[in-house]
Amino acid sequence: MRYISTRGQAPALSFEEVVLTGMASDGGLYVPETIPQLSADDLTEMAGLSYAEIAFRVMRPFVNGEIDDDTFRRLVTEAYATFSHDAVVPLNQLDANHFLLELFHGPTLAFKDVALQLLGRLLDHFLKKRGERAVIMGATSGDTGSAAIEGCRHCDNLDIFILHPYQRVSEVQRRQMTSVLADNVFNVAIEGNFDDAQAMVKASFADQSFLNGTRLVAVNSINWARIMAQIVYYVASAVALGAPHRKVSFCVPSANFGNVFAGYMAYRMGLPVERFVIATNANDILHRTLAANDFSKQELKATLAPSMDIVVSSNFERLLFEAYDRDGAAVAALLERFQAEPTALADAPLAQLRERFASHSVDDATILEVIREAHHRTQEILDPHTATGYRAAERERGEASVPMVTLATAHPAKFAEAVVKAGFPGVPLPPHMDDLLEREERYTVLPAELAAVQQFVVENRR
Ligand SMILES: *Cc1c(COP(=O)(O)O)cnc(C)c1O
């Protein structure tokens, strides 16, 4: 299997190359040239298997023999052994046919661990094989940097530098990053805001000469391996609920669209999915596009669900590529127009998307209301991202006979501010993290100057 770009111009790559490469050279994103199929028998045989074994079976065709089976099985097993729940991603039944898929039992209490625990190991495997080292750089407003750090802390051939805005990150989120004292982990507190940090990371990717030839790797959600790892929990949860004999629907709190796109891939592989419900916060480009064909950027709004605060959904391009029948030129033209001005999808692709996707946007006041209402009805305290999903699922729930699975993307303790605002006394950290506030921290404060940051990277990478 090869991987091709959504804009049709970049060269096709192998799995190994696609893991080591972020964006395609034509500005597009890589997708598999053909979509592997899971037969009804394949799904039936998965019933009762461990999460790691299901993960191995679902992802094996994408790896295309470029990692031998024993090694790949070991990488997958190690990645999911870091989760604190034996089921890795347990299903929690809320009522007769509404389930929460708890994706937050990984090291940093949010679903990004599912992908990043595997991606770090895949990168390290390929780098070792090639006898190369690489540097990872990323910027975070606090919520997602820790998942990248935890995914790479054991990787001998990777050094990771995560920039966060100094004194503008919540204490729990800062400590989740800065208490990782591994030799290859560098937390940099920038005297500036998140945009300053992100601008320096972008500039470093645009001109990598400061690294003298060492590879710079991005671990953001445009990396294909992240999508691949996320396909697994759609399959595992549907099988647990009776696939291939019974359909399910999924509701996904969404931002960059990586998570729900993985679900769509599972569907295209043969998983019987009735519909996908996309939940957004007030940053609702996905909802506006699907509901009103308003494919346009709006100003960023800071919400109570900060991991979903985006202007553009980068992975939506992968779905557009499918909706436009894999016509890379059409996708490139559409996205060029989109960058310049408000635009709209063509009728046929929009109609195709509407057959499988519904959407719902949830504002901050409603998030607080939902946290209270869901607790009243189910005793669960939802994190604010999952709350958008809960509301969308309740609103867009179709036939009662089809189970609805809402993806719980974060543990409420990670976003306690919203939970407290909703009127609860707070949420304790889970037992394996309850000493977080006493752990030793390590980070370096630097001015918001590109030269200072790049010098720090060059001096400290191993
Ligand atoms: C990243 C994130 C999301 C959004 O996921 P996408 O793949 O970007 O759509 C939702 N909830 C939480 C908690 C996240 O960290």
Side-chain angles (χ1 to χ4, degrees):
M1 167 173 334
R2 309 278 288 171
Y3 290 83
I4 57 172
S5 166
T6 49
R7 299 200 191 177
Q9 297 296 313
L13 299 183
S14 67
F15 178 69
E16 172 174 340
E17 289 163 331
V18 99
V19 169
L20 292 165
T21 308
M23 192 173 281
S25 57
D26 58 3
L29 306 182
Y30 278 104
V31 291
E33 192 163 31
T34 54
I35 299 176
Q37 295 299 301
L38 291 168
S39 69
D41 284 347
D42 292 334
L43 293 171
T44 303
E45 283 169 18
M46 286 180 193
L49 297 181
S50 70
Y51 186 81
E53 180 60 26
I54 293 175
F56 171 78
R57 293 184 183 202
V58 170
M59 293 189 285
R60 187 171 179 269
F62 293 105
V63 175
N64 194 31
E66 294 174 42
I67 306 177
D68 68 76
D69 281 355
D70 287 347
T71 305
F72 186 52
R73 196 178 253 118
R74 176 175 57 76
L75 295 177
V76 169
T77 304
E78 285 173 8
Y80 297 114
T82 64
F83 280 58
S84 63
H85 197 291
D86 286 344
V88 182
V89 292
L91 273 170
N92 176 352
Q93 185 159 10
L94 296 179
D95 66 26
N97 67 347
H98 191 181
F99 296 80
L100 278 184
L101 179 60
E102 295 183 353
L103 302 175
F104 53 68
H105 294 281
T108 76
L109 309 181
F111 90 99
K112 291 192 174 65
D113 290 327
V114 179
L116 285 163
Q117 283 297 315
L118 184 66
L119 177 57
R121 288 168 168 85
L122 289 172
L123 285 168
D124 206 41
H125 168 82
F126 284 130
L127 290 167
K128 279 181 178 147
K129 192 189 106 187
R130 298 159 83 109
E132 289 177 22
R133 303 190 56 78
V135 167
I136 290 176
M137 279 181 84
T140 184
S141 52
D143 37 5
T144 60
S146 56
I149 288 173
E150 286 286 350
C152 299
R153 66 187 294 177
H154 298 299
C155 299
D156 301 327
N157 288 38
L158 280 172
D159 295 310
I160 178 165
F161 296 81
I162 297 294
L163 281 50
H164 71 263
Y166 183 47
Q167 292 181 337
R168 295 189 197 202
V169 171
S170 80
E171 185 177 12
V172 166
Q173 293 184 357
R174 183 191 75 237
R175 284 177 174 275
Q176 282 193 303
M177 299 189 283
T178 58
S179 65
V180 178
L181 304 180
D183 288 346
N184 66 334
V185 171
F186 301 92
N187 279 287
V188 180
I190 296 293
E191 292 174 320
N193 57 30
F194 168 68
D195 291 335
D196 297 328
Q198 192 170 43
M200 288 188 282
V201 170
K202 275 195 179 155
S204 299
F205 273 91
D207 179 0
Q208 305 181 10
S209 54
F210 72 104
L211 280 174
N212 280 323
T214 303
R215 188 188 286 272
L216 189 59
V217 175
V219 295
N220 54 18
S221 69
I222 62 173
N223 192 304
W224 168 256
R226 283 186 59 171
I227 307 285
M228 176 185 82
Q230 292 171 175
I231 296 171
V232 176
Y233 48 71
Y234 289 92
V235 177
S237 59
V239 166
L241 292 173
H245 312 293
R246 185 159 78 143
K247 281 189 181 184
V248 292
S249 289
F250 290 98
C251 179
V252 189
S254 294
N256 273 321
F257 208 74
N259 199 354
V260 62
F261 184 75
Y264 177 75
M265 285 302 296
Y267 162 69
R268 291 288 304 272
M269 290 172 78
L271 195 72
V273 178
E274 173 97 348
R275 328 206 261 173
F276 293 99
V277 178
I278 297 167
T280 73
N281 63 19
N283 296 290
D284 60 352
I285 180 167
L286 291 167
H287 176 58
R288 282 185 288 112
T289 303
L290 275 165
N293 201 9
D294 168 14
F295 187 39
S296 68
K297 295 185 221 174
Q298 282 187 356
E299 229 167 273
L300 185 72
K301 302 182 188 84
T303 75
L304 291 172
S307 298
M308 288 160 56
D309 288 350
I310 47 95
V311 173
V312 177
S313 292
S314 47
N315 275 292
F316 191 54
E317 176 163 350
R318 286 184 158 121
L319 184 65
L320 290 173
F321 186 60
E322 300 301 327
Y324 278 81
D325 289 329
R326 299 201 145 204
D327 179 348
V331 171
L334 174 68
L335 287 160
E336 244 162 67
R337 271 205 316 281
F338 167 77
Q339 287 306 339
E341 64 195 17
T343 182
L345 310 191
D347 292 342
L350 182 66
Q352 202 192 315
L353 295 184
R354 283 176 172 165
E355 279 175 26
R356 197 62 48 195
F357 293 89
S359 63
H360 198 78
S361 158
V362 181
D363 65 17
D364 273 2
T366 310
I367 287 176
L368 296 177
E369 190 185 298
V370 172
I371 293 174
R372 289 189 286 267
E373 175 193 309
H375 181 259
H376 181 71
R377 286 176 54 188
T378 69
Q379 308 306 312
E380 294 292 330
I381 294 189
L382 304 180
D383 100 285
H385 306 83
T386 306
T388 68
Y390 182 90
R391 170 54 60 104
E394 290 291 320
R395 284 292 145 88
E396 306 291 331
R397 226 154 134 167
E399 269 182 71
S401 62
V402 178
M404 172 63 80
V405 177
T406 295
L407 275 53
T409 53
H411 189 289
K414 186 158 186 167
F415 296 96
E417 186 200 331
V419 176
V420 170
K421 266 207 177 124
F424 295 89
V427 193
L429 287 164
H432 65 283
M433 289 188 59
D434 62 7
D435 65 338
L436 183 69
L437 300 187
E438 281 95 61
R439 290 183 198 164
E440 185 185 342
E441 290 187 84
R442 192 160 73 205
Y443 60 95
T444 305
V445 182
L446 290 179
E449 288 165 15
L450 183 62
V453 170
Q454 292 187 340
Q455 190 189 345
F456 181 81
V457 171
V458 168
E459 283 172 0
N460 286 284
R461 67 168 170 152
R462 301 168 309 159

